[in-house]
């Protein structure tokens, strides 16, 4: 039943990454890279399968176990979906995030990431709020309160809600990043990304020479969506 009603993908980019793929997931090799990264990949996958019969949709990278722990596998995800089927979104427990213990508790994103984001990052997010008329509900939907955060785009979400998220937030933001001059200027500013080098293959495929703010702004959108629209979220993976 789980496999018939759930479409959860593990995304990889090179055959060298196949040993890290987990049994049970649908494996998707992405050969069409752009600067929108997994956000664009998930939309392409969803649009291809949206007429199929399933209730839950999501994607995880080939690095998921190194990000949130070796306890994560298909059976574990299946059990959590069955247990929390009344939720709208199911995502990692922050306590399981390996990248930084600072992410493991509720935190104020603008304060925690103030030094790790260069000029233009939060200005761009605030401009997007203005352009899309997203009100500040004073519940953290503007990422200006202590909240638990979904990172890495690791989540599963009910099918109809992913369509809603894609059409009402993700696509409108991507359109601003492509066609709005004010947003284009800010979102293309250089982002340090914790001093991680920009991959050589992305330089060739995207034309960028270093990280822009684009993918890191998009990564935070699921948090804006769930808090703006009141989507019930289970931090349990």
């Amino acid at each position: 039943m789980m496999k018939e009603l759930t479409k959860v993908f593990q995304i990889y980019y090179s055959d060298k990454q196949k040993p890290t793929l987990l049994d049970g997931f649908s494996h998707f090799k992405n050969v069409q890279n752009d600067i929108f990264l997994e956000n664009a990949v998930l939309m392409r996958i969803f649009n291809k399968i949206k007429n199929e019969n399933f209730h839950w949709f999501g994607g995880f990278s080939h690095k998921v176990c190194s990000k949130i722990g070796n306890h994560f596998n298909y059976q574990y995800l299946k059990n959590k979906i069955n247990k929390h089927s009344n939720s709208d979104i199911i995502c990692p427990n922050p306590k399981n995030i390996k990248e930084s213990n600072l992410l493991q508790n509720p935190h104020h994103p603008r304060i925690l990431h103030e030094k790790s984001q260069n000029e233009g990052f939060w200005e761009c997010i605030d401009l997007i709020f203005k352009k899309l008329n997203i009100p500040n509900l004073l519940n953290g939907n503007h990422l200006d309160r202590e909240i638990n955060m979904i990172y890495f785009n690791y989540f599963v979400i009910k099918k109809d809600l992913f369509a809603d998220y894609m059409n009402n937030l993700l696509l409108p933001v991507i359109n601003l990043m492509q066609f709005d001059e004010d947003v284009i200027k800010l979102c293309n500013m250089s982002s340090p990304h914790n001093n991680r080098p920009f991959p050589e293959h992305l330089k060739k495929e995207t034309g960028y020479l270093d990280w822009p703010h684009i993918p890191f702004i998009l990564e935070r959108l699921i948090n804006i969506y769930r808090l703006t629209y009141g989507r019930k979220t289970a931090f349990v993976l």
Side-chain angles (χ1 to χ4, degrees):
M1 185 67 68
M2 163 76 172
K3 196 163 187 177
E4 294 171 356
L5 297 181
T6 304
K7 294 288 187 180
V8 183
F9 293 80
Q10 200 172 13
I11 300 164
Y12 67 107
Y13 304 89
S14 166
D15 289 341
K16 295 179 181 179
Q17 297 159 349
K18 282 186 175 181
T20 63
L21 301 179
L22 302 172
D23 292 338
F25 292 92
S26 298
H27 300 151
F28 182 85
K29 184 178 182 181
N30 180 44
V31 295
Q32 185 181 340
N33 284 315
D34 55 44
I35 202 58
F36 306 121
L37 301 184
E38 63 269 18
N39 304 278
V41 179
L42 288 173
M43 288 194 296
R44 287 197 294 270
I45 294 174
F46 184 81
N47 284 328
K48 185 176 181 180
I49 66 170
K50 62 184 179 182
N51 293 325
E52 297 179 18
N53 179 36
F54 60 98
H55 290 168
W56 292 89
F57 174 74
F60 298 85
S61 76
H62 63 95
K63 299 184 289 186
V64 60
C65 289
S66 67
K67 295 278 192 180
I68 62 172
N70 291 324
H71 68 282
F72 183 81
N73 56 46
Y74 184 75
Q75 185 62 46
Y76 180 82
L77 176 63
K78 173 182 176 180
N79 292 341
K80 294 298 185 181
I81 288 178
N82 290 337
K83 184 175 181 179
H84 299 275
S85 59
N86 63 333
S87 296
D88 298 318
I89 300 170
I90 299 174
C91 61
N93 182 336
K95 297 291 185 185
N96 291 328
I97 295 177
K98 306 299 180 185
E99 189 161 293
S100 171
N101 58 10
L102 297 176
L103 306 180
Q104 295 178 353
N105 295 295
H107 54 278
H108 192 307
R110 293 178 185 249
I111 294 175
L112 181 61
H113 300 296
E114 180 181 11
K115 294 182 179 179
S116 64
Q117 300 294 350
N118 280 357
E119 179 184 1
F121 183 83
W122 292 109
E123 291 91 338
C124 188
I125 289 179
D126 286 335
L127 182 59
I128 287 169
F129 287 141
K130 182 178 179 180
K131 296 272 186 180
L132 298 182
N133 296 312
I134 298 174
N136 190 338
L137 302 180
L138 304 180
N139 66 347
N141 75 311
H142 276 211
L143 309 182
D144 57 358
R145 299 284 191 280
E146 285 197 356
I147 55 174
N148 281 321
M149 289 280 288
I150 300 172
Y151 286 105
F152 319 124
N153 283 307
Y154 287 175
F155 61 89
V156 292
I157 183 172
K158 288 179 175 173
K159 176 184 180 181
D160 59 331
L161 295 183
F162 185 82
D164 184 56
Y165 168 56
M166 178 176 68
N167 292 326
N168 289 312
L169 187 59
L170 186 54
L171 271 174
V173 171
I174 288 177
N175 285 337
L176 288 175
M177 290 175 166
Q178 291 178 308
F179 304 113
D180 185 283
E181 291 184 4
D182 297 327
V183 174
I184 288 171
K185 179 179 178 180
L186 291 173
C187 74
N188 281 288
M189 288 183 172
S190 178
S191 187
H193 191 33
N194 296 322
N195 296 316
R196 294 177 185 172
F198 192 61
E200 288 298 323
H201 73 94
L202 285 180
K203 291 181 181 179
K204 297 176 182 177
E205 293 162 350
T206 68
Y208 286 85
L209 298 179
D210 54 19
W211 289 108
H213 290 317
I214 291 171
F216 311 113
I217 292 173
L218 295 178
E219 179 189 2
R220 285 153 175 79
L221 293 187
I222 189 62
N223 298 284
I224 296 168
Y225 173 75
R226 68 181 183 84
L227 291 166
T228 299
Y229 293 92
R231 304 309 183 200
K232 184 177 181 180
T233 305
F235 290 86
V236 296
L237 298 180

